[in-house]
Amino acid sequence: MDYPSYGPQRKMKLVLISPKGPLYRSRGGIFKRSLRYQPLTLTTLAALVPKSLPVEISLIDESICDIPENLEADLVGMTVITGTAPRAYELAAGFRAKGISVVLGGPHVTLLPQEAALHADCVCVGYAEQSWPRLINDFLNGEMRAEYRQEEGFHLDAAELPFPERDRFDGKHFLTQAVFEATRACAHNCEFCVAPSAWGRKQFQHPVEWVVNDIRQFVARTGKRKIIFVDLNLVSDIGYAKALFTALIPLKIQWFGLSTVLIAHNHELMELMAKSGCKGLLLGLETVSDGSLKDAGKKFNGSVDYKALIGDLHRLGISIQGCFVFGLDHDTTDVFDRTVELAIDAGIDLPRFSVLTPFPGTPLYRRLEEENRILTKDWSLYDAQHVVFQPKLMSVRELELGHERAWKKVYRYGSIARRLWNAKNFKPLALTANLGYRFYAHHLHQFYTCDWPIEHAPVRSN
């Protein structure tokens, strides 16, 4: 490929895209604004492009807007999760046919770089703090390689790390732009989790000083003090977590994030979280079955009384989004109703259910493939809502219908009232969020479009 010359008179046009998946559609989609917050990856990649280079950057989140048919670009970069891979490959083919170079990165590309390389001029594997600036510089010089990987142990100090350029998106399309990241990866090794397979179990940590300064500049610019941490497990490193939470106290913010249930064994840490402004936690409760906890590689969850933990967090003013997964090998057809009853009895503010999904590259995928239980490799169905494998103790249709029933049952008006009463959470925001998930529960399955072999075909309830 012939590369043009770039400089003050002709800047390289870089377009960064987050492709849409089957549950995110720019017109008439299942997710409304009330359930969406601004993605962080594209704004981070934009910030990592060296300011000294002649690059004009545009960002497109395809779940909120369409890609122009006459898109002008020299280089298109797309971040890809498994569910969006087919769409990314489709877009890449169209761009490349027009002479536009394409680079693919993200979790799916990191897990399956050889597959992704068939659809791109270049793949970016793993983290990008080092490799992305190098890639852009090489492209400008006509020397872009087919693959870039970040060096093992690479890190930047706080002075070198740019803050994500959040204002490159129009905030009116999202619930919030206040999305932050302190750490990446998780020390645990759950069988179904993408993180340890893609990035290992060693946690990448931004310096606490950098995280605090990022929040400070955002608050100063916007005046908004409610933020979301997207870290997979904020308390994976207890020492780092304590340092971060202590540093957050003077900021007087309210924050929401993710944690494992192991915080139940550390009341001091829970109290520090509350003192630092924590108002909501997403907890991976996963299952009500001890045998299924072992299946998932989360035996440590068995050491925790879910109801007691949720009660402790509620007393500290922390709301709970409790996440459960259906389809583990010890799950039988009674698991759906038992899980719903726990969610109601424990007063989980926002229950969330997913179908066990064997993402490629994970130990779960390898095991199920060896057992000949993978039913499809159509990656667009790998969204944690479709059944893409043969369950062990129930049929495909029983898993799909049970999953659908659990969503609808836990978000009945009466169930919402009982949960919020048990949680003593009567705030308007809690009710609004529950009504948003009620909409989700009653519209999710209209997006099931897969064609199954007749012996596995799920049925749809009205």
Side-chain angles (χ1 to χ4, degrees), residues 147-281:
E147 180 178 301
Y148 288 80
R149 292 177 182 259
Q150 194 148 290
E151 295 174 4
E152 188 74 23
F154 172 81
H155 73 279
L156 292 171
D157 62 35
E160 296 174 301
L161 277 171
F163 298 134
E165 297 178 354
R166 298 176 181 85
D167 54 357
R168 284 188 175 273
F169 278 116
D170 186 341
K172 71 180 182 182
H173 298 294
F174 305 100
L175 171 65
T176 180
Q177 292 183 293
V179 182
F180 294 82
E181 178 188 69
T183 66
R184 295 179 201 152
C186 176
H188 300 293
N189 195 29
C190 304
E191 186 187 35
F192 56 73
C193 185
V194 167
S197 297
W199 302 293
R201 297 167 65 183
K202 183 178 180 181
Q203 194 175 57
F204 175 96
Q205 298 172 338
H206 288 100
V208 169
E209 173 193 3
W210 182 88
V211 178
V212 170
N213 287 338
D214 189 19
I215 296 171
R216 284 188 190 278
Q217 61 88 24
F218 178 83
V219 172
R221 191 176 75 253
T222 67
K224 298 178 180 178
R225 293 184 174 273
K226 292 182 179 180
I227 74 168
I228 295 173
F229 282 110
V230 294
D231 308 48
L232 292 175
N233 182 6
L234 263 176
V235 299
S236 184
D237 182 327
I238 300 298
Y240 178 90
K242 287 183 175 180
L244 175 63
F245 300 154
T246 300
L248 293 179
I249 293 173
L251 302 185
K252 299 186 183 304
I253 60 170
Q254 296 182 359
W255 63 268
F256 304 80
L258 291 76
S259 170
T260 67
V261 299
L262 290 178
I263 56 171
H265 303 309
N266 195 328
H267 284 262
E268 178 190 359
L269 183 61
M270 281 196 284
E271 291 171 1
L272 182 57
M273 293 172 82
K275 190 176 181 180
S276 71
C278 180
K279 294 299 179 183
L281 283 179

Side-chain angles (χ1 to χ4, degrees), residues 28-39:
I30 189 168
F31 287 102
K32 301 301 181 181
R33 180 179 181 273
S34 62
L35 293 181
R36 290 187 51 72
Y37 52 80
Q38 182 170 293

Side-chain angles (χ1 to χ4, degrees), residues 316-333:
L316 290 169
I318 299 174
S319 299
I320 303 302
Q321 183 174 72
C323 297
F324 297 90
V325 60
F326 295 134
L328 294 160
D329 277 358
H330 279 76
D331 283 356
T332 54
T333 53

Side-chain angles (χ1 to χ4, degrees), residues 30-31 55 102 137 156 249 265 290 306 310 326-327 348 404:
I30 189 168
F31 287 102
V55 181
V102 173
N137 190 72
L156 292 171
I249 293 173
H265 303 309
D290 290 339
Y306 288 170
I310 292 165
F326 295 134
I348 296 177
E404 180 180 359

Side-chain angles (χ1 to χ4, degrees), residues 327-333 373 390-395 398:
L328 294 160
D329 277 358
H330 279 76
D331 283 356
T332 54
T333 53
R373 292 168 60 191
Q390 178 60 55
K392 193 168 188 178
L393 299 179
M394 66 181 87
S395 68
E398 285 173 328

